[in-house]
């Protein structure tokens, strides 16, 4: 008997693509006889062995799922009326199953390649249309990270655009959600902005403000008419942003109609689970005149090569890479998956359904209020939508205890008041249970319901039509919605169809076992501000995950709050800033950033109030250490930090990393190591052990959270112990100050994905994953280098976990550009690698450990075949303008039309015989970028406009 009776860990071999025999063959192709020998060659001597992953063996899928189920069971689900920006809602089952739980949607990448992204771009255009309709402002982006950070973006937006240039004061109403005010304060301080929080009804002279934020309805439930106030602010050239509740807006006058310049808020209650605070999509909408200053991504209409309408990301696409520290914001990953859920919720319910939900919520609240008044409870609001504040006075504590005993969470406003918000899920029985808490003669629901009056002020009722576009009026049966979701998904390429070899973005497997827990109600239905004893499951999950990430990075403490890599960078630089200040080193504000850095780095440094000094790279792509030393010395009185990516964005383990860190430390600076490339390091070397003081990780890259088509993400930071006191706090945590996100644990509900991954891989599995990621990248690099020069490698001729192919020489000899190659890959059924980052005219390929040798070979063969086509152009056997590369991608419609090209239809669409059996057909031809930016349309066009084009 040799079969082990204990279950084996089957997961590691399922996460990793290559089989044992393939691994040997690939190693042989590289001239190594073992994985250990390969990693020993790749990892520089000076940092070798810095990582010891002391975390035990990985667990099998069933065991790990059972373990996390037990953790989930420690969360308690009370009936929750806390509100404050987070509301219970129903995720419609077909959206849950066919979108949120569907890899065709959640494994897609950000739609930078529009031809293979028309499905999710359409869904995002619907989102923009939804937001634009509800807010009454014509331009909406396709999501921001959360309501509080959207408010902070609105503040800096007002600063940029206000004509009141001398002002540094921003007014924020005391009626804003407390977490929003906290994040505003954090953001304002390094920028020299003063946030003045007051009751807007008592506001005197407003002439020294550049902007204002108001909440609609107010956080306590009141509904104010802001018209006059907005005019006062406009009178002094200040801009006004309004944080508005989308469900309320279906019944209420839109912010754009009462003069607001910006509307922001959360789309959470449109079908997205509470998830202990996130991820949810925030929105940002503004006037047409300000569209070029919009933070985040904007979907716009354009045309394809045939003049047919096609969607694409407009204008600010990757703007941080172009404008660096002058970028409008550092937002990169946003909340696309959640925006898609919210937009589909609106598509499914339609305008009539949404209004019904809002009406029902409001009427129940009105009935509740009237009953409470009859019971002698002091309800503070005359007008309200779904939220009440009750002046409970000396009875507050007792009422609170009573509610708790009944399994009910109310909002604790202060010692003398309680608050509550109803929502889509509220019913008669809930209203009666709330009345029961207050004792006395119980009101009769039926008689109150028969006489109840609307408590929305007549002057604020919505007059304008809503969601008249056909897309919001067509898919109201489940069959229709199911097919619409399928139709859109079929237009796109996601990981469920092909490898997505994106350098710097690590598109690896998002295993089903990792995904399953996130839609369990124990994780999904918890309010972020529920009493701590109800979230003990989350407590255990986050404690354990923090320990796991400390082990993986070599740091001493971790904050899980940042909800994207960009936010992690921000939190990390704030920690560095606060550390310097705590030592009386206020002057330190210079941030050194190598020229090869990701665009979010300089954009973030600017937000943290730092001055960016760019340092050079040498011809091998390494940091030019002499230049770095010179600049560190030159600025030694002011040096705050170095931001460096490791292994470098050039895909190389720089040998001088320890020396680089030492130079910065010797001159009084701190070292920020951008951990987006952690997938090359886990288990092999640890940034916290070779000189980093702080790093962010992208859990949506290295640690298996899916990219969601452009978000959600999680960007936790790890720090050495001296920076631990400066990690983000939150009003709901022990440390109250310095929140960078609305919720204490940011995007808490997707943390189980990473927990599951690490739990199943264990120390040995994680190390093996890094080794296979390096093997796969080197295999591709070796097999393609005779066709396309590999731009950078280490002194051993090896790359790290990604490689850069230099296509610039081909442009010279054939006129073929990176764009042409990227689009031609679509004809082969592939998503393009990262284009022109970090070097223009190159492709950066990162296969990850999850791709099998078959898939790597399929990609390699496509790239070789494309090289043959380029050779044919070079040789003149293919025309230099009319060739399969310049015309790529080829659509089915083109194929059945008149064929005017000098090459055959077969060559166009079946350049490899294997494609006959399985072919992806792009729905549009190559999209015209310039046309789209010149003729910006970023909401669903009217049907007439659509037909005309
Ligand atoms: C992806 C990435 C970031 C930004 O992370 P987001 O989660 O998209 O905000 C920062 N630095 C590098 C090197 C990256 O690859």
């Amino acid at each position: 008997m040799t079969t082990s009776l204990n279950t084996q860990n089957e997961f590691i071999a399922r996460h990793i693509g290559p089989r044992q025999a393939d691994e040997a063959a690939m190693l042989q192709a590289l001239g190594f006889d073992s994985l250990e020998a390969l990693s020993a060659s790749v990892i520089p001597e000076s940092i070798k062995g810095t990582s010891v992953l002391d975390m035990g063996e990985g667990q099998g899928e069933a065991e790990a799922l059972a373990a996390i189920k037990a953790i989930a069971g420690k969360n308690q689900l009370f009936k929750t009326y806390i509100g404050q920006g987070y509301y219970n809602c129903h995720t419609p089952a077909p959206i849950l199953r066919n979108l949120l739980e569907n890899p065709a949607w959640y494994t897609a990448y950000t739609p930078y390649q529009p031809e293979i992204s028309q499905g999710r771009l359409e869904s995002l255009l619907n989102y923009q249309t939804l937001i634009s309709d509800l807010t009454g402002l014509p331009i909406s982006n396709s999501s921001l990270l959360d309501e509080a950070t959207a408010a902070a973006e609105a503040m800096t937006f007002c600063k940029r655009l206000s004509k009141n240039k001398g002002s540094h004061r921003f007014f924020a109403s005391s009626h804003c959600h407390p977490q929003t005010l906290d994040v505003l304060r954090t953001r304002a301080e390094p920028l020299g902005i003063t946030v003045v929080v007051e009751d807007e009804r008592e506001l005197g002279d407003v002439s020294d403000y550049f902007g204002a934020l108001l909440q609609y309805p107010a956080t306590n439930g009141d509904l104010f008419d802001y018209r006059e106030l907005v005019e006062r602010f406009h009178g002094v050239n200040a801009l006004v942003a309004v944080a508005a509740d989308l469900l309320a807006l279906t019944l209420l006058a839109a912010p754009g109609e009462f003069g607001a310049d910006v509307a922001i808020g959360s789309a959470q209650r449109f079908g997205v689970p509470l998830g202990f605070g996130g991820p949810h999509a925030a929105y940002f909408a503004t006037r047409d005149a300000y569209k070029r200053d919009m933070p985040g991504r904007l979907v716009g209409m354009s045309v394809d090569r045939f003049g047919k309408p096609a969607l694409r990301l407009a204008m600010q696409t990757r703007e941080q890479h172009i404008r660096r520290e002058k970028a409008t914001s550092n937002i990169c990953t946003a909340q696309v998956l959640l925006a898609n859920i919210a937009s589909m919720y609106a598509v499914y319910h339609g305008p009539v359904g949404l209004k019904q939900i809002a009406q029902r919520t409001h009427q129940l609240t009105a009935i509740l209020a009237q009953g409470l008044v009859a019971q002698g409870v002091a309800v503070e609001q005359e007008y309200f939508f779904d939220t009440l504040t009750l002046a409970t006075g000396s009875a507050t504590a007792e009422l609170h205890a009573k509610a708790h005993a009944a399994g009910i969470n109310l909002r604790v406003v202060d010692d003398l008041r309680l608050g509550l918000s109803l929502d889509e899920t509220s019913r008669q029985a809930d209203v009666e249970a709330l009345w029961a808490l207050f004792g006395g003669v119980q009101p009769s629901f039926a008689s109150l319901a028969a006489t109840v009056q609307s408590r929305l002020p007549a002057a604020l009722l919505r007059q304008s039509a809503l969601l008249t576009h056909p897309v919001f009026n067509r898919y109201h049966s489940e069959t229709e919605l199911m097919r619409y979701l399928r139709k859109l998904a079929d237009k796109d390429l996601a990981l469920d169809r092909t490898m997505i070899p994106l350098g710097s973005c690590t598109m690896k497997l998002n295993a089903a076992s990792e995904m399953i827990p996130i839609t369990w109600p124990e994780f999904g239905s918890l309010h972020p501000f529920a009493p701590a004893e109800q979230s003990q499951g989350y407590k255990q999950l986050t404690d354990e995950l923090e320990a796991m990430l400390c082990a993986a990075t070599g740091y001493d403490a971790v904050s899980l709050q940042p909800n994207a890599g960009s936010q992690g960078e921000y939190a990390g630089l704030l920690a560095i800033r606060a550390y310097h200040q705590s030592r009386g080193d206020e002057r330190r504000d210079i941030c050194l950033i190598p020229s090869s850095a990701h665009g979010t780095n300089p954009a973030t440094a600017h937000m943290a109030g730092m001055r960016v000094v760019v340092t050079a790279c040498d011809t091998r792509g390494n940091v030019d250490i002499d230049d770095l030393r010179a600049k560190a010395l030159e600025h030694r009185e002011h040096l705050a930090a170095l931001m460096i990516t490791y292994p470098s964005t050039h895909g190389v383990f720089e040998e001088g990393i320890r020396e680089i860190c030492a130079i910065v430390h010797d001159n009084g600076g701190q070292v920020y190591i951008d951990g987006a490339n952690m997938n090359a390091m886990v288990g092999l070397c640890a940034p916290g052990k070779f000189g980093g003081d702080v790093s962010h990780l992208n859990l949506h890259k290295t640690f298996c959270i899916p990219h969601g088509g452009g978000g959600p993400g999680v960007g936790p930071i790890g720090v050495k112990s001296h920076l631990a006191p400066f990690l983000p706090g939150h009003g709901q945590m022990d440390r109250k100050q310095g929140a960078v996100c609305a919720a204490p644990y940011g995007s808490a509900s997707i943390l189980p994905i990473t927990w599951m991954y690490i739990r199943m891989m264990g120390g040995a599995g994680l190390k093996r994953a890094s080794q296979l990621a390096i093997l796969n990248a080197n295999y591709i690099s070796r097999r393609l280098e005779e066709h396309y020069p590999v731009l950078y490698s280490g002194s051993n001729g090896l790359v790290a976990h990604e490689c850069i192919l230099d296509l610039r020489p081909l442009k010279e000899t054939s006129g073929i550009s990176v764009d042409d190659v990227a689009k031609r890959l679509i004809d082969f059924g592939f998503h393009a690698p990262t284009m022109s980052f970090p070097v223009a005219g190159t492709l950066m390929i990162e296969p990850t450990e999850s791709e099998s040798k078959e898939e790597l070979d399929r990609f390699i063969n496509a790239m070789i075949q494309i090289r043959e086509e380029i050779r044919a152009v070079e040789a003149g056997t293919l025309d230099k303008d009319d060739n399969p590369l310049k015309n790529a991608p080829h659509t089915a419609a083109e194929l059945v039309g008149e064929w005017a090209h000098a090459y055959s239809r077969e060559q166009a669409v079946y350049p490899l015989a294997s494609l006959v059996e399985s072919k992806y057909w792009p729905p549009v031809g190559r999209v015209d970028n310039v046309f789209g930016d010149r003729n910006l349309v970023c909401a669903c066009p009217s049907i007439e406009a659509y037909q005309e084009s």
Side-chain angles (χ1 to χ4, degrees):
M1 287 268 295
T2 51
T3 308
S4 165
L5 291 180
N6 292 318
T7 27
Q8 304 245 310
N9 185 325
E10 74 295 2
F11 180 73
I12 298 171
R14 288 175 177 164
H15 174 80
I16 285 173
R19 304 296 88 198
Q20 286 286 340
D22 298 331
E23 186 182 315
M26 290 158 73
L27 281 165
Q28 200 179 19
L30 295 169
F32 289 92
D33 56 11
S34 73
L35 264 184
E36 285 300 325
L38 173 65
S39 11
S41 279
V42 172
I43 309 288
E45 211 51 54
S46 67
I47 61 172
K48 221 169 256 171
T50 48
S51 175
V52 196
L53 275 179
D54 196 4
M55 53 171 71
E57 296 233 339
Q59 248 179 349
E61 295 184 52
E63 288 84 0
L65 275 168
I68 200 163
K69 189 83 197 172
I71 293 177
K74 296 180 186 172
N75 289 331
Q76 298 171 49
L77 295 179
F78 277 38
K79 266 277 175 193
T80 294
Y81 302 96
I82 296 173
Q84 203 178 320
Y86 301 93
Y87 307 90
N88 305 297
C89 62
H90 295 301
T91 310
I95 295 177
L96 175 74
R97 176 164 286 235
N98 304 327
L99 198 166
L100 177 53
E101 297 180 340
N102 180 350
W105 285 90
Y106 67 69
T107 69
Y109 181 60
T110 311
Y112 294 129
Q113 296 288 336
E115 296 83 1
I116 51 97
S117 313
Q118 291 295 305
R120 56 195 188 275
L121 284 166
E122 177 169 329
S123 179
L124 290 173
L125 192 74
N126 295 345
Y127 180 76
Q128 293 177 183
T129 307
L130 166 72
I131 300 302
S132 176
D133 262 24
L134 285 174
T135 60
L137 287 163
I139 306 286
S140 158
N141 71 12
S142 61
S143 83
L144 289 179
L145 294 166
D146 60 31
E147 176 164 333
T149 56
E153 296 292 339
M155 174 175 71
T156 50
F157 182 88
C158 292
K159 183 90 177 79
R160 282 197 300 280
L161 293 168
S162 163
K163 297 209 174 70
N164 198 351
K165 287 292 171 211
S167 165
H168 298 284
R169 282 157 65 87
F170 185 70
F171 177 80
S173 161
S174 54
H175 291 108
C176 291
H177 293 316
Q179 69 273 17
T180 301
L181 295 174
D182 285 346
V183 171
L184 278 184
R185 289 190 187 100
T186 306
R187 283 280 192 100
E189 195 269 332
L191 299 174
I193 295 173
T194 305
V195 178
V196 179
V197 179
E198 276 173 28
D199 186 334
E200 69 278 356
R201 291 167 303 179
E202 287 151 23
L203 197 59
D205 177 28
V206 298
S207 61
D208 57 348
Y209 291 111
F210 67 81
L213 178 71
L214 308 170
Q215 186 103 37
Y216 179 68
T219 190
N220 64 349
D222 275 320
L223 265 174
F224 299 120
D225 190 337
Y226 291 128
R227 262 169 270 234
E228 215 179 293
L229 184 64
V230 171
E231 275 175 30
R232 273 173 70 204
F233 278 113
H234 283 171
V236 299
N237 285 324
L239 301 189
V240 179
V242 173
D245 179 275
L246 289 181
L247 191 62
L249 289 185
T250 63
L251 305 178
L252 294 173
E257 292 166 356
F258 58 76
D261 303 287
V262 180
I264 59 110
S266 168
Q268 178 266 317
R269 70 193 306 181
F270 277 28
V272 181
L274 287 168
F276 201 45
H280 311 138
Y283 70 83
F284 189 112
T286 189
R287 299 169 183 278
D288 191 67
Y290 302 144
K291 64 191 172 206
R292 292 186 194 268
D293 281 276
M294 172 79 97
R297 308 273 177 262
L298 188 62
V299 175
M301 299 282 303
S302 186
V303 293
D304 74 358
R305 195 161 64 84
F306 311 103
K308 292 248 170 350
L311 299 168
R312 58 184 276 279
L313 290 179
M315 298 184 308
Q316 298 92 334
T317 306
R318 319 216 76 183
E319 70 137 354
Q320 296 102 17
H321 285 304
I322 299 158
R323 293 172 62 186
R324 315 295 282 187
E325 66 271 19
K326 295 190 186 66
T328 50
S329 89
N330 70 344
I331 302 291
C332 184
T333 292
Q335 301 283 21
V336 167
L337 190 70
L338 303 311
N340 284 335
I341 294 174
S343 94
M344 285 301 168
Y345 178 93
V347 163
Y348 199 30
H349 287 293
V352 175
L354 290 179
K355 281 186 185 177
Q356 271 169 4
I357 293 169
Q359 284 289 3
R360 191 179 66 227
T361 305
H362 176 63
Q363 278 172 20
L364 282 173
T365 315
I367 294 168
L368 172 68
Q370 224 162 311
L372 287 170
V373 170
Q375 287 174 283
V377 180
V379 176
E380 291 193 345
Q381 283 67 38
E382 181 182 0
Y383 296 112
F384 53 80
F385 169 60
D386 64 357
T387 297
L388 305 173
T389 301
L390 314 178
T392 41
S394 57
T396 306
E398 188 198 325
L399 278 166
H400 206 67
K402 220 168 147 191
H404 188 262
I408 291 175
N409 288 325
L410 301 174
R411 178 171 170 190
V412 191
V413 179
D414 53 35
D415 290 346
L416 301 173
R417 290 178 305 166
L418 291 171
L420 52 83
S421 300
L422 299 193
D423 55 57
E424 180 188 3
T425 67
S426 304
R427 296 291 180 267
Q428 174 177 345
D430 301 316
V431 171
E432 289 168 342
L434 287 166
W435 284 333
L437 296 176
F438 294 86
V441 181
Q442 290 298 293
S444 151
F445 187 93
S447 55
L448 286 176
T451 58
V452 71
Q453 303 277 315
S454 164
R455 303 290 287 273
L456 304 172
L460 289 182
L461 289 181
R462 186 176 188 105
Q463 308 295 339
S464 49
L466 181 72
L467 303 181
T468 54
H469 192 275
V471 77
F472 297 106
N473 295 281
R474 188 178 281 170
Y475 305 107
H476 297 170
S477 78
E478 181 165 332
T479 302
E480 286 294 323
L481 181 77
M482 172 177 73
R483 290 183 188 150
Y484 183 49
L485 286 166
R486 176 65 192 257
K487 184 179 103 177
L488 294 187
D490 276 356
K491 293 185 179 193
D492 290 9
L493 278 185
L495 274 177
D496 62 335
R497 291 207 209 185
T498 167
M499 76 187 282
I500 302 184
L502 281 161
S504 210
C505 275
T506 314
M507 299 292 288
K508 59 165 71 174
L509 171 74
N510 320 113
S513 288
E514 293 154 6
M515 296 298 293
I516 280 174
I518 67 162
T519 46
W520 289 343
E522 300 94 314
F523 287 128
S525 302
L526 212 66
H527 193 286
F529 308 148
E533 78 267 11
Q534 291 166 30
S535 55
Q536 289 305 302
Y538 266 116
K539 172 94 174 67
Q540 182 179 344
L541 181 87
T542 52
D543 284 351
E544 290 182 7
L545 187 55
E546 285 171 16
M548 290 167 171
L549 295 178
C550 281
T553 54
Y555 286 111
D556 303 317
V558 160
S559 165
L560 296 168
Q561 189 180 107
N563 49 12
S566 61
Q567 304 304 294
E569 292 175 23
Y570 181 64
L573 288 192
L574 285 190
I576 289 177
R577 189 168 181 275
Y579 169 75
H580 287 312
Q581 287 180 343
S582 75
R583 294 155 46 95
D585 257 351
E586 263 92 12
R587 292 160 311 169
R588 296 199 171 273
D589 69 343
I590 294 276
C591 188
L592 301 178
I593 301 185
S595 59
S596 62
H598 194 267
T600 51
N601 291 184
T604 304
H606 174 74
M607 283 169 63
M610 294 186 183
R611 290 181 289 157
V612 174
V613 171
V614 178
T615 73
C617 289
D618 68 15
T619 49
R620 302 197 65 131
N622 293 327
V623 169
D624 179 336
I625 297 187
D626 290 335
D627 186 55
L628 178 92
R629 185 182 291 109
K631 290 192 167 133
L633 273 172
E634 180 190 339
H635 297 289
R636 84 177 161 272
E637 299 298 316
H638 294 272
L639 185 62
L642 163 74
M643 279 186 110
I644 184 172
T645 303
Y646 201 78
S648 73
T649 46
H650 290 153
V652 178
F653 279 102
E654 296 187 29
E655 282 152 41
I657 184 67
R658 274 209 194 253
E659 188 185 354
I660 289 169
C661 295
I663 291 171
V664 172
H665 286 144
D666 289 347
N667 290 288
Q670 294 277 293
V671 176
Y672 185 102
I673 297 183
D674 181 322
N677 288 344
M678 195 68 204
N679 208 46
M681 295 201 282
V682 182
L684 298 174
C685 55
K689 298 280 188 224
F690 62 70
D693 298 294
V694 45
S695 293
H696 80 264
L697 303 172
N698 299 69
L699 299 192
H700 49 299
K701 295 178 181 174
T702 314
F703 292 97
C704 295
I705 290 177
H707 230 81
V714 179
I717 53 172
V719 294
K720 298 298 283 179
S721 56
H722 64 282
L723 293 180
F726 310 107
L727 287 173
H730 192 281
Q732 305 282 328
M733 298 170 95
D734 292 342
R735 192 172 120 71
K736 304 284 175 209
Q737 266 79 50
V740 296
C741 291
Y745 289 94
S747 293
S749 70
I750 52 177
L751 296 176
I753 301 168
T754 298
W755 187 97
M756 282 292 289
Y757 173 61
I758 296 178
R759 182 69 171 242
M760 293 190 291
M761 294 296 274
L766 288 173
K767 177 177 170 192
R768 196 170 145 68
S770 303
Q771 290 177 311
L772 263 294
I774 291 172
L775 175 63
N776 277 359
N778 277 287
Y779 177 70
I780 288 191
S781 158
R782 185 60 51 91
R783 291 226 25 220
L784 285 180
E785 68 190 354
E786 64 177 282
H787 304 281
Y788 304 89
V790 173
L791 191 54
Y792 301 115
S793 55
S795 56
N796 43 27
L798 296 167
V799 298
H801 65 310
E802 56 194 4
C803 62
I804 299 180
L805 305 185
D806 191 356
L807 274 67
R808 291 169 300 186
L810 298 180
K811 175 92 197 196
E812 301 287 309
T813 55
S814 67
I816 300 299
S817 68
V818 261
D819 260 59
D820 299 328
V821 173
K823 303 306 176 192
R824 184 62 174 149
L825 274 168
I826 297 172
D827 285 332
F828 288 80
F830 281 105
H831 190 293
T834 299
M835 280 162 51
S836 290
F837 172 78
V839 182
T842 64
L843 289 176
M844 179 156 62
I845 300 168
E846 178 182 352
T848 84
E849 71 277 12
S850 296
E851 297 302 339
S852 65
K853 181 165 177 293
E854 288 77 20
E855 185 70 356
L856 300 184
D857 287 336
R858 195 171 76 88
F859 177 74
I860 289 164
N861 290 338
M863 287 298 288
I864 292 173
Q865 187 65 27
I866 288 173
R867 185 66 184 92
E868 292 306 329
E869 292 178 349
I870 298 172
R871 287 193 184 101
V873 177
E874 287 168 337
T877 45
L878 275 174
D879 185 84
K880 75 178 190 8
D881 298 315
D882 180 30
N883 61 56
L885 292 130
K886 288 281 174 208
N887 295 334
H890 296 84
T891 63
E894 181 180 15
L895 204 66
V896 297
E898 197 186 327
W899 190 254
H901 304 302
Y903 55 94
S904 72
R905 289 178 164 95
E906 285 74 15
Q907 182 171 2
V909 301
Y910 293 138
L912 290 173
S914 56
L915 289 164
V916 176
E917 184 231 340
S918 173
K919 171 74 186 170
Y920 167 75
W921 294 99
V924 297
R926 196 178 302 189
V927 177
D928 187 333
N929 287 322
V930 177
F931 182 92
D933 279 353
R934 289 224 181 101
N935 308 276
L936 195 66
V937 176
C938 22
C940 296
S942 68
I943 283 304
E944 303 79 63
Y946 211 87
Q947 279 162 349
E948 268 168 39
S949 59

